[in-house]
Amino acid sequence: MIQEIIVTIIGLAVAAILGYKVYSFFFIKEKSGGACGCSSCHCNVEKKFK
């Protein structure tokens, strides 16, 4: 019984983390500011995958 509860809690935590990552990938846009030019695109790509 305790093992089932622990597995359920871990499963819900993993589902929440994955759901947040998918949500942030599609719906959260990072603002690139300044005159960084194309290097800002590279910076945003690095931040997104970390």
Side-chain angles (χ1 to χ4, degrees):
M1 179 70 178
I2 294 175
Q3 291 175 344
E4 294 170 350
I5 294 171
I6 292 172
V7 168
T8 303
I9 291 171
I10 292 173
L12 289 174
V14 170
I17 291 169
L18 289 176
Y20 176 74
K21 288 195 181 278
V22 169
Y23 172 78
S24 66
F25 182 77
F26 285 111
F27 296 109
I28 296 177
K29 305 289 185 196
E30 290 187 26
K31 294 180 181 177
S32 61
C36 207
C38 219
S39 63
S40 68
C41 299
H42 179 68
C43 296
N44 287 339
V45 170
E46 282 185 358
K47 287 179 186 175
K48 186 172 270 192
F49 289 109
K50 285 187 179 181

